[in-house]
Amino acid sequence: MFLLEIKDLKVKADNKEILKGVNLKIKKGETQALLGPNGSGKSCLCQVILGNPAYKITNGKIFFEGKDITKMPSEKRVKLGLALTWQSPPAIKGLKLSELCPTIEKRSFLNIKEANDLLKRDVNVDFSGGEKKTSELLQVLCLNPKLVIFDEIDAGLDIKKLGQVAEIIKTEFIRKNVSVLLITHSGQILNYLKPDITNVMLDGKILCQKKDFKNVLRIIKKYGYEKCKKCPVR
């Protein structure tokens, strides 16, 4: 049985079809990457998996641990063990990050000075891009998830911060047998984390699913995503 299974998923938003028959299977403890250009449907897929009602499912099913969650509210999906880091998380004045993450101080990696400082501040208020990424990591850790979807976690990070974020994902999720789905446009995070399977999405469909992520990245970097329409490694 797969931890997450998506079958022939079609989705509309504002009467426009965004996902056009997506199929995806993720095993327990597996790390997968989903690459694609902007507008390919990656973030839409994230939102649909977490149950955002702004997106209308017109066909297909979503299963988590064998249970049909296609029509399940977001809060129930989170309680089952699904978690998502937001690409552009909102700022919340008057709410300290420590209040949102009351159990996080017991985590060993919080010896990092930045994380301890963030806990004293209002959630994402005047946070830098890197601080927002750390905040997102702290929040999903509090949920003790079974599957975490990292939506563009590598966007806007310098090399040093990217390495720190990747190390946290590796030690706090991957090595603890938490399933991970890395959504990325640039593929930079894959210089630090090696996925078991790499998927390529274009125009609302997953066109390629390969174990050889290095070859997939090589093709994309050399020729761009348009080459994936006639995938040379498929």
Side-chain angles (χ1 to χ4, degrees):
M1 182 177 69
F2 293 95
L3 182 64
L4 177 72
E5 185 172 8
I6 299 172
K7 295 182 177 181
D8 196 25
L9 190 66
K10 297 181 181 179
V11 173
K12 284 186 176 181
D14 297 326
N15 291 319
K16 179 182 178 181
E17 189 173 50
I18 300 176
L19 301 183
K20 305 173 183 179
V22 171
N23 293 283
L24 182 66
K25 296 177 181 179
I26 300 176
K27 298 177 182 178
K28 181 179 179 180
E30 190 172 57
T31 297
Q32 291 199 23
L34 178 63
L35 290 90
N38 294 330
S40 60
K42 304 187 305 299
S43 291
C44 171
L45 180 60
C46 295
Q47 296 297 320
V48 174
I49 293 173
L50 263 290
N52 188 332
Y55 297 90
K56 182 181 179 182
I57 295 175
T58 59
N59 188 76
K61 296 284 185 180
I62 303 173
F63 296 91
F64 190 73
E65 293 188 315
K67 184 174 185 177
D68 187 349
I69 64 168
T70 311
K71 298 181 180 180
M72 184 180 289
S74 296
E75 60 271 19
K76 289 188 177 181
R77 300 186 193 205
V78 172
K79 288 180 180 179
L80 286 178
L82 278 166
L84 168 69
T85 64
W86 297 82
Q87 186 174 348
S88 301
I92 308 174
K93 292 185 178 180
L95 178 65
K96 301 297 182 187
L97 184 57
S98 60
E99 297 176 74
L100 192 60
C101 306
T103 62
I104 200 64
E105 293 180 61
K106 298 177 182 178
R107 300 282 181 162
S108 60
F109 89 88
L110 282 183
N111 293 326
I112 298 175
K113 183 178 182 297
E114 178 197 15
N116 288 319
D117 290 342
L118 294 182
L119 288 168
K120 302 172 186 176
R121 296 164 58 186
D122 288 357
V123 178
N124 294 327
V125 175
D126 297 324
F127 281 19
S128 67
E131 288 174 336
K132 287 180 180 179
K133 302 297 185 182
T134 301
S135 172
E136 288 292 289
L137 287 167
L138 295 174
Q139 290 174 56
V140 294
L141 273 169
C142 284
L143 299 172
N144 293 313
K146 298 175 182 176
L147 169 64
V148 185
I149 303 169
F150 293 100
D151 189 7
E152 302 286 359
I153 195 71
D154 51 2
L157 298 182
D158 60 31
I159 294 176
K160 180 179 178 181
K161 184 61 181 179
L162 181 57
Q164 290 177 345
V165 166
E167 187 60 27
I168 293 170
I169 294 173
K170 187 183 298 181
T171 57
E172 297 294 330
F173 298 101
I174 295 175
R175 289 177 182 168
K176 294 181 179 179
N177 210 35
V178 177
S179 298
V180 167
L181 179 60
L182 300 164
I183 309 292
T184 175
H185 166 72
S186 67
Q188 291 299 311
I189 193 71
L190 304 187
N191 291 324
Y192 301 85
L193 302 174
K194 298 179 180 180
D196 300 298
I197 295 176
T198 298
N199 307 273
V200 177
M201 175 174 271
L202 281 176
D203 193 27
K205 295 181 180 180
I206 293 178
L207 299 183
C208 181
Q209 295 175 314
K210 303 294 292 184
K211 292 184 178 180
D212 184 5
F213 79 96
K214 290 184 178 180
N215 201 19
V216 174
L217 283 178
R218 181 184 63 81
I219 295 295
I220 291 170
K221 288 178 179 179
K222 186 174 182 178
Y223 301 105
Y225 280 105
E226 284 300 309
K227 188 75 171 181
C228 295
K229 291 181 178 179
K230 296 180 180 179
C231 182
V233 296
R234 199 172 344 181

